[in-house]
Amino acid sequence: MFIKPFKIKSNILVTGSEKKRLRQRVMAQFNRVDEESATSPLAELFGNRAKVCTVKIITYHEEPITVYTSDKRPIFFELSGKLLPTVYTLWSCPDLVPAFTTHATVLPKLANGADLMIPGVVKQGTNLASWGRHQKDDVVAVNLTSNRAAVGVGLLAHSSSDLYMCGGHGVCVRMMHVFGDKLWGMEPSVCQQVPLQGTVVSVPTDSDFPPLGSEKVKPAEDCVKEVTKSLAKTAVSGNEESGSEGDETDEETQEPDEEEKPPNPDDLIKGAFLNALKLHGKKITLPLLTSTFYPQYVQPEIPDGIEMKKSSFKKVGTFLKRMAEEGIIEIKEEKKGIEKVTAINLEHPAVLSFYPYKVTKPSVEQDACGTVSTGATSNPLLLTQMTAMYAVNERTAKLFGCFNVALGTALDLTQVRNYMRDYVGRNKLINPVTKLVTLDETLQGICGASEQLVALPDLTETVLNTMTSTFEMRSQKGAVTKGGKRAVIHLTTATRSGNKKVTLISNLADYGINVNDFAKAVKLGAAASTTMTEVPGSKGEQLMVQGNHVKFVFELLTTTYQVPKACITGLEFAKEQKKKKKK
């Protein structure tokens, strides 16, 4: 319903009495009358300080819809007299409506406008009770097997009994709202990615099933012999060992649990400090103020979510003094409260033994509308596309902890491959002859102790299957190439009826630019009306601006959208400024 852009007709702030009636209506429809307390997550959406607005919109198919927002974030939308929650509301109240689970590979199909079909539903059981007790047109949520958080909202196409009798064919949920659609991105400044709320059900992957005829599958007789030998050894060791030896076995069983814990903030902060010295140690000009040294060199290397106050150091000064006590740096206090780093010992054993890595963080930019965006991940002015991500879980926390990647951090496919290549090269696990990877204890904990030699692509695939699958909406990068040539944005002027000048802009979509948001920026900056027109013989649309605003559009494209000047033509049509007459 919201896959294509919609038009906003009105946006009105509701009064206190209207907010109260809306809250009572929500509580009554979703049977949450007992949760009227102000501390409940659902009641917080209608709190005293929350600004609730009623937004009237017209969808792409000319359907009038009412959307209710709380602090600019859409929380409910009304369809045929029925309130449907958005994904933002379901992330705050996961149990608001019943949920149907599907596979992670189905989400891109739903984001393109498809409904959830019955074969794509993952159920616990095959009987009638596995479909629940729902009626037709009931409001339901859709989540993934890898994440309990909702990624869509819709209406049931059939009742539970009809779904059971469909024979595994047909539509299950008619999708009305999906993560990543235009309703999710209604206000770019408050957009949020899907949170990780734990897995729903563990679905076996291809790596869990060895190929037929594989050498990994042992005959049944060999398995029975191995079990018999292990039982015999256990019985003998149980009769002979006692006392202190029993305590040693208890300590040995506790060691793997301790190894599985992710690294603490102290190790991550110190690792970032050593990484900064390894990468920039020779370029740092000394003496340097500690208030400049830490934020300029150490802070960018610390992973997101790790703060100094959460570590045992508590303060930056305490941490730097600890590093000075270890002999890595030298600190001199010139005046009271003013300290400088006077020397760096790059020959220290801790620095020499540390393997450097590069941290890639999106740069923070500010667009023309005043909203702060973090690189290509969440730039509201650019067209977004759904990207498959892989989150670090408890099973892979030890592996990625070596690169200061915290638990729950989402990585894309390229980042995971680079980390695996760095880990294998750092620990020298590749056999130069066979080009296979020898698994150490950390990798064996992920792949299993039965495997010893694995190819790097297969190892990366196993790690990806072990990580938690999720998705993010990311902005497109770079320009689309056509026939091996980079697209060019054309700026031209034309004359309409009444000898009125207009500015025509084409090929904006080839650079991933959201044309609707671009038109709003031009309308505000140039104080001119804009319209979209179709060009005969061309697939894309052309933006028409009233008046000659070629120079303003050129500066907007080159500064805000970072489009290279060589990729824009038509600057010669800019309106020449009148020269002031000399008195």
Side-chain angles (χ1 to χ4, degrees):
M1 176 173 285
F2 303 104
I3 303 299
K4 295 185 178 181
F6 53 80
K7 298 179 182 178
I8 298 178
K9 303 298 291 185
S10 63
N11 189 351
I12 303 173
L13 182 68
V14 301
T15 61
S17 58
E18 292 175 344
K19 184 194 301 184
K20 184 178 180 180
R21 285 196 296 267
L22 178 61
R23 174 180 172 180
Q24 292 175 352
R25 182 184 174 188
V26 170
M27 295 294 183
Q29 178 176 330
F30 297 100
N31 297 325
R32 296 301 177 102
V33 181
D34 298 336
E35 299 183 7
E36 288 272 347
S37 61
T39 57
S40 62
L42 191 59
E44 289 180 357
L45 300 175
F46 305 96
N48 295 330
R49 297 184 178 180
K51 295 182 180 180
V52 180
C53 297
T54 302
V55 183
K56 302 287 186 180
I57 65 174
I58 302 296
T59 63
Y60 183 82
H61 298 287
E62 302 296 332
E63 297 180 17
I65 301 293
T66 303
V67 180
Y68 299 98
T69 63
S70 177
D71 294 332
K72 298 183 180 182
R73 181 170 291 170
I75 54 175
F76 290 95
F77 62 96
E78 189 173 354
L79 184 65
S80 300
K82 183 181 294 185
L83 291 176
L84 280 76
T86 64
V87 290
Y88 294 114
T89 304
L90 293 177
W91 294 342
S92 303
C93 311
D95 301 327
L96 186 63
V97 294
F100 281 71
T101 305
T102 185
H103 301 279
T105 54
V106 179
L107 179 57
K109 306 295 183 182
L110 301 180
N112 289 333
D115 292 328
L116 179 61
M117 310 302 287
I118 294 178
V121 179
V122 179
K123 311 186 305 300
Q124 297 289 344
T126 57
N127 54 2
L128 178 60
S130 63
W131 291 101
R133 297 181 179 179
H134 311 300
Q135 301 298 324
K136 183 181 179 181
D137 291 335
D138 280 357
V139 182
V140 295
V142 176
N143 56 19
L144 306 179
T145 55
S146 58
N147 191 2
R148 193 178 299 273
V151 294
V153 181
L155 301 176
L156 270 184
H158 308 280
S159 62
S160 297
S161 57
D162 292 341
L163 290 173
Y164 176 71
M165 297 300 295
C166 281
H169 301 283
V171 179
C172 178
V173 181
R174 291 183 286 111
M175 302 303 300
M176 299 297 167
H177 165 48
V178 186
F179 163 72
D181 61 7
K182 302 303 179 183
L183 182 60
W184 169 84
M186 183 176 178
E187 179 57 41
S189 60
V190 295
C191 286
Q192 180 184 351
Q193 303 294 344
V194 180
L196 297 178
Q197 297 180 354
T199 58
V200 179
V201 58
S202 59
V203 179
T205 58
D206 296 338
S207 60
D208 297 330
F209 300 96
L212 295 177
S214 174
E215 298 178 357
K216 299 178 183 178
V217 181
K218 297 182 179 180
E221 297 179 358
D222 296 342
C223 297
V224 172
K225 291 180 182 179
E226 291 181 0
V227 173
T228 305
K229 291 180 181 179
S230 61
L231 291 175
K233 291 180 180 179
T234 304
V236 172
S237 61
N239 294 331
E240 294 179 356
E241 298 178 358
S242 60
S244 61
E245 294 181 357
D247 297 336
E248 293 177 358
T249 56
D250 293 338
E251 294 177 358
E252 292 177 359
T253 57
Q254 294 177 358
E255 288 180 359
D257 295 337
E258 295 178 357
E259 293 179 356
E260 292 179 358
K261 294 182 180 179
N264 55 17
D266 293 1
D267 297 336
L268 295 177
I269 294 175
K270 185 176 180 181
F273 173 77
L274 295 175
N275 190 56
L277 297 185
K278 201 79 173 181
L279 296 176
H280 313 290
K282 296 181 180 179
K283 303 177 183 178
I284 300 176
T285 56
L286 299 176
L288 184 65
L289 290 171
T290 56
S291 58
T292 305
F293 169 76
Y294 183 83
Q296 185 173 352
Y297 295 101
V298 182
Q299 186 69 37
E301 308 297 331
I302 297 179
D304 296 335
I306 303 300
E307 300 178 1
M308 182 65 71
K309 61 182 180 181
K310 295 181 181 180
S311 65
S312 61
F313 306 110
K314 300 299 180 183
K315 295 182 180 180
V316 177
T318 307
F319 169 72
L320 295 178
K321 289 180 181 178
R322 184 75 60 84
M323 297 299 100
E325 293 175 358
E326 295 182 7
I328 302 178
I329 59 175
E330 293 182 6
I331 299 177
K332 182 180 179 181
E333 185 176 6
E334 292 189 351
K335 298 180 182 179
K336 187 177 181 180
I338 300 177
E339 296 180 343
K340 288 186 178 181
V341 179
T342 58
I344 299 176
N345 185 10
L346 298 179
E347 302 298 327
H348 193 276
V351 180
L352 294 175
S353 61
F354 187 81
Y355 190 89
Y357 58 91
K358 290 185 178 180
V359 178
T360 56
K361 294 185 178 181
S363 58
V364 177
E365 299 175 353
Q366 190 168 5
D367 55 34
C369 298
T371 57
V372 177
S373 60
T374 56
T377 304
S378 59
N379 191 344
L381 291 177
L382 298 180
L383 293 174
T384 55
Q385 58 184 355
M386 189 169 292
T387 306
M389 304 292 290
Y390 304 89
V392 180
N393 50 22
E394 295 181 355
R395 192 172 174 183
T396 57
K398 184 179 179 181
L399 171 64
F400 292 97
C402 302
F403 304 97
N404 293 347
V405 179
L407 183 67
T409 304
L411 307 173
D412 56 23
L413 181 61
T414 304
Q415 290 174 317
V416 175
R417 287 176 177 173
N418 292 337
Y419 281 133
M420 292 303 301
R421 193 179 296 110
D422 291 347
Y423 182 85
V424 172
R426 175 189 299 186
N427 296 279
K428 300 179 180 179
L429 300 178
I430 295 184
N431 191 325
V433 179
T434 60
K435 302 298 182 181
L436 297 177
V437 179
T438 304
L439 303 184
D440 57 1
E441 295 181 1
T442 303
L443 297 177
Q444 286 181 0
I446 299 175
C447 303
S450 59
E451 300 182 2
Q452 297 296 333
L453 296 175
V454 183
L456 183 58
D458 297 338
L459 176 62
T460 305
E461 187 68 23
T462 303
V463 173
L464 290 173
N465 293 332
T466 306
M467 301 175 71
T468 303
S469 177
T470 183
F471 291 87
E472 280 189 4
M473 296 300 298
R474 288 192 167 188
S475 301
Q476 297 180 6
K477 288 183 177 180
V480 178
T481 57
K482 296 181 179 180
K485 296 182 180 180
R486 188 166 51 179
V488 177
I489 296 178
H490 297 289
L491 305 179
T492 57
T493 58
T495 304
R496 293 293 184 260
S497 60
N499 198 23
K500 294 181 180 179
K501 291 284 186 179
V502 294
T503 303
L504 302 176
I505 311 164
S506 56
N507 296 337
L508 289 174
D510 292 339
Y511 281 80
I513 296 175
N514 193 325
V515 181
N516 292 327
D517 291 335
F518 182 83
K520 291 180 183 179
V522 174
K523 187 183 296 184
L524 294 174
S529 60
T530 59
T531 54
M532 296 297 300
T533 59
E534 295 184 359
V535 181
S538 178
K539 294 182 180 180
E541 292 182 325
Q542 191 179 55
L543 180 64
M544 183 175 67
V545 185
Q546 296 292 333
N548 189 340
H549 301 286
V550 173
K551 188 174 182 181
F552 173 80
V553 173
F554 181 83
E555 293 178 354
L556 181 64
L557 289 171
T558 55
T559 56
T560 303
Y561 292 90
Q562 301 296 321
V563 178
K565 295 181 179 179
C567 300
I568 305 174
T569 62
L571 186 60
E572 63 273 11
F573 298 108
K575 187 177 181 180
E576 296 181 359
Q577 295 181 354
K578 296 181 180 179
K579 297 181 180 180
K580 295 182 180 180
K581 296 181 180 180
K582 295 182 180 180
K583 293 182 180 181

